[in-house]
């Protein structure tokens, strides 16, 4: 069998690592080296703007000159990353003389060390070496990390501590939850979910995980929200790690903060994992930018769960009608006629563009484009049902010009 590289972990804390070159390779390698605690010295007449920024921030040292023999005198580890093969060869030669392991970026086989494809998952560091097939090692690394994140590969980590994680699941496409949210989901004993939480994520859960549909919790004399809070608290107190999986972001019209307060008052530990809110993701997925230079300098996200004339409404509709920017309306389908009317009555032009995005980021996504005066009829005509995001403002009329 051919010889293989020996995979190892270096303790680099406070040890000098010399990077010769200042281009994209150095820029890509620097963050992980810094995370290991290494002292970085970059030697190159010029560096990328990002590397220069790191030098200015004091994260690394940059010597703005060419490499010279002797530069590796104090190094524990080195990387030859210039675009000049001759210089890289000199760096490796000096490193070899000094018995310092050295990566050669342009021709790995002429170096004395190679950088594995690296991934991280919950305190684990994964390294994959392929012996000269970087695409293969990167692909395997990514597949392993994804499998770990999804809980498809057991990582034998200590069980998650009891408590509640309020996790924003994103707008619906299972690929739009955060990495942290997905990792916590994969470690849950109990998942309490909503109708609008991404259903695709639940299919991945191992069979021992108890999934509770919040809409179906019997709530007797308690209010629905109290009943949900009680389930979270009881399960956490019974020693379970509970993920409260919510649609979008937990704190955007999602009652997430009520759940946090209830848990905290009951002495249950809560972590909050932000999510991609449908208020921004659904328009984006439909090609509607909620802001655009020279078009909209403000974005107001509004709940349409009560009518404009409802005494409990906290929305100043006449003030919104005076804005020129973007209004993003959630929970607004049912009362769109009333919202359009009050906006027009208080001064928003009747021909203001409107885009309505139903089931944003899901396969069933649909967009209806109209104007403030006509949108209620258009939605009725299209029989557009919730959930939908209603975007009001000039941005709703923008469309890319095909080449
Ligand atoms: N916390 C959620 C919002 C909850 S309020 C978030 O940050 O996205 C529920 C409303 O969100 C719905 O009435 C609808 O207006 C909107 N919504 C949620 N998911 C949606 C989606 N995939 N497409 C369009 N609108 C969505």
């Amino acid at each position: 069998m051919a010889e293989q590289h020996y995979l190892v972990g270096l303790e680099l804390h406070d040890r000098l690592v010399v990077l010769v070159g200042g281009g994209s390779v150095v820029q890509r390698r620097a963050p992980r080296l810094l995370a290991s605690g290494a002292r970085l010295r970059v030697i190159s007449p010029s560096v990328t703007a990002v590397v220069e920024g790191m030098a200015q921030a004091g994260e690394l040292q940059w010597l703005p000159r060419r490499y010279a023999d002797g530069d590796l005198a104090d190094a524990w580890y080195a990387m030859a990353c210039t675009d000049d093969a001759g210089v890289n060869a000199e760096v490796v030669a000096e490193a070899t003389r000094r018995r310092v392991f050295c990566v050669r970026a342009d021709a790995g086989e002429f170096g004395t060390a190679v950088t594995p494809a690296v991934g991280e998952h919950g305190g684990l560091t994964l390294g994959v070496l392929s012996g000269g097939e970087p695409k293969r090692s990167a692909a395997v690394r990514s597949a392993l990390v994804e499998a770990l994140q999804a809980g498809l590969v057991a990582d034998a980590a200590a069980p998650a501590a009891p408590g509640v994680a309020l996790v924003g699941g994103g707008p619906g496409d299972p690929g739009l939850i955060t990495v942290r949210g997905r990792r916590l989901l994969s470690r849950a004993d109990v998942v309490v979910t909503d109708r609008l939480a991404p259903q695709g994520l639940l299919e991945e859960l191992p069979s021992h995980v108890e999934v509770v549909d919040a809409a179906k919790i019997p709530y007797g004399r308690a209010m629905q929200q109290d009943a949900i809070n009680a389930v979270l608290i009881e399960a956490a107190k019974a020693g379970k790690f509970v993920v409260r999986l919510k649609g979008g972001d937990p704190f955007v019209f999602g009652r997430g903060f009520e759940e946090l307060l209830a848990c905290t008052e009951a002495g249950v530990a809560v972590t909050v994992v932000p999510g991609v809110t449908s208020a921004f993701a659904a328009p984006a997925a439909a090609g509607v930018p909620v802001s655009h230079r020279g078009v909209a300098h403000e974005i107001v996200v509004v709940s349409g769960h009560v009518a404009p004339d409802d005494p409990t409404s906290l929305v100043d509709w006449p003030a919104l009608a005076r804005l020129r920017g973007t209004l993003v309306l959630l929970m607004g389908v049912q009362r769109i006629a009333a919202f359009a009317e009050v906006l027009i009555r208080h001064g928003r032009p009747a021909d203001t563009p409107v885009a309505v995005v139903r089931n944003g980021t899901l396969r069933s996504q649909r967009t209806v484009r109209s104007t403030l005066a006509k949108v209620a009829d258009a939605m009725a005509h299209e029989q557009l049902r919730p959930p939908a995001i209603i975007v009001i403002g000039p941005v709703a009329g923008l469309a890319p010009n095909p080449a």
Side-chain angles (χ1 to χ4, degrees):
M1 201 177 105
E3 284 175 7
Q4 292 178 333
H5 281 111
Y6 182 74
L7 187 61
V8 71
L10 299 180
E11 173 56 86
L12 290 176
H13 179 79
D14 208 24
R15 294 187 169 139
L16 181 69
V17 174
V18 174
L19 306 176
V20 181
S24 62
V25 177
V26 165
Q27 180 175 318
R28 273 206 314 273
R29 297 286 177 250
R32 203 176 286 286
L33 285 164
L34 289 173
S36 75
R39 278 187 293 124
L40 287 195
R41 182 176 294 159
V42 173
I43 301 175
S44 175
S46 64
V47 294
T48 67
V50 171
V51 173
E52 188 174 358
M54 295 170 110
Q56 276 162 1
E59 293 170 32
L60 52 77
Q61 181 190 27
W62 171 32
L63 304 183
R65 58 164 176 77
R66 294 181 63 82
Y67 161 79
D69 191 52
D71 277 344
L72 304 187
D74 302 318
W76 285 75
Y77 191 58
M79 293 192 177
C81 311
T82 76
D83 50 14
D84 181 327
V87 173
N88 289 347
E90 285 175 43
V91 175
V92 172
E94 180 187 349
T96 304
R97 216 169 62 235
R98 295 183 187 277
R99 308 285 192 268
V100 173
F101 283 105
C102 182
V103 171
R104 187 165 156 181
D106 61 330
E109 66 276 26
F110 297 122
T112 54
V114 292
T115 309
V118 177
E120 262 167 37
H121 172 78
L124 292 176
T125 308
L126 275 73
V128 181
L129 291 177
S130 60
E133 293 177 85
K135 280 194 182 143
R136 183 177 177 207
S137 39
V140 170
R141 177 270 326 268
S142 301
L144 279 174
V145 170
E146 271 183 35
L148 283 162
Q149 282 165 355
L152 299 174
V153 176
D155 80 354
V164 171
L166 276 178
V167 174
D173 177 335
L176 290 174
I177 189 174
T178 63
V179 169
R180 184 180 302 168
R182 195 161 179 216
R183 180 157 67 82
L184 293 182
L185 192 61
S186 77
R187 305 189 66 190
D189 302 307
V190 179
V191 177
V192 181
T193 167
D194 274 338
R195 197 169 42 86
L196 284 179
Q199 301 303 308
L201 290 168
L202 303 176
E203 288 159 23
E204 286 179 356
L205 295 173
S207 54
H208 68 265
V209 178
E210 187 189 346
V211 178
V212 180
D213 182 342
K216 293 187 184 149
I217 297 173
Y219 51 102
R221 281 191 301 160
M223 299 286 287
Q224 179 77 15
Q225 188 60 53
D226 292 343
I228 296 171
N229 297 348
V231 167
L232 299 177
I233 292 163
E234 259 171 49
K237 289 205 161 163
K240 306 277 176 64
F241 175 53
V242 186
V243 167
R244 173 67 171 119
L245 184 66
K246 305 185 73 81
D249 181 276
F251 287 172
V252 177
F253 302 136
R255 309 192 80 163
F257 199 64
E258 292 172 43
E259 294 170 7
L260 178 137
L261 290 175
C263 290
T264 313
E265 274 164 27
V268 168
V270 187
T271 4
V272 178
V273 181
V276 174
T277 179
S278 66
F280 294 161
V288 177
V290 289
S291 75
H292 188 54
R293 187 155 58 96
V295 176
H297 291 177
E298 65 206 345
I299 307 157
V300 183
V301 179
V302 183
S303 165
H305 80 289
V306 292
D309 58 2
D310 190 299
T312 65
S313 173
L314 299 175
V315 181
D316 187 343
W317 288 96
L320 296 184
R322 284 195 299 277
L323 301 178
R324 280 184 297 188
T326 308
L327 287 185
V328 179
L329 197 50
L330 278 71
M331 297 178 273
V333 173
Q334 197 190 332
R335 297 185 181 82
I336 182 60
F339 299 133
E341 188 277 324
V342 72
L343 288 171
I344 293 172
R345 179 152 45 86
H346 289 278
R348 192 98 204 210
D351 61 356
T352 304
V354 179
V356 186
V357 186
R358 175 170 200 264
N359 281 351
T361 78
L362 293 168
R363 257 200 306 279
S364 49
Q365 174 177 313
R366 252 180 78 201
T367 308
V368 172
R369 290 192 188 246
S370 185
T371 62
L372 206 46
K374 295 185 184 149
V375 63
D377 284 345
M379 285 167 67
H381 181 257
E382 300 275 335
Q383 296 184 321
L384 203 112
R385 305 296 315 143
I389 296 291
I390 302 172
V391 185
I392 301 169
V395 292
L398 298 175
N401 291 323

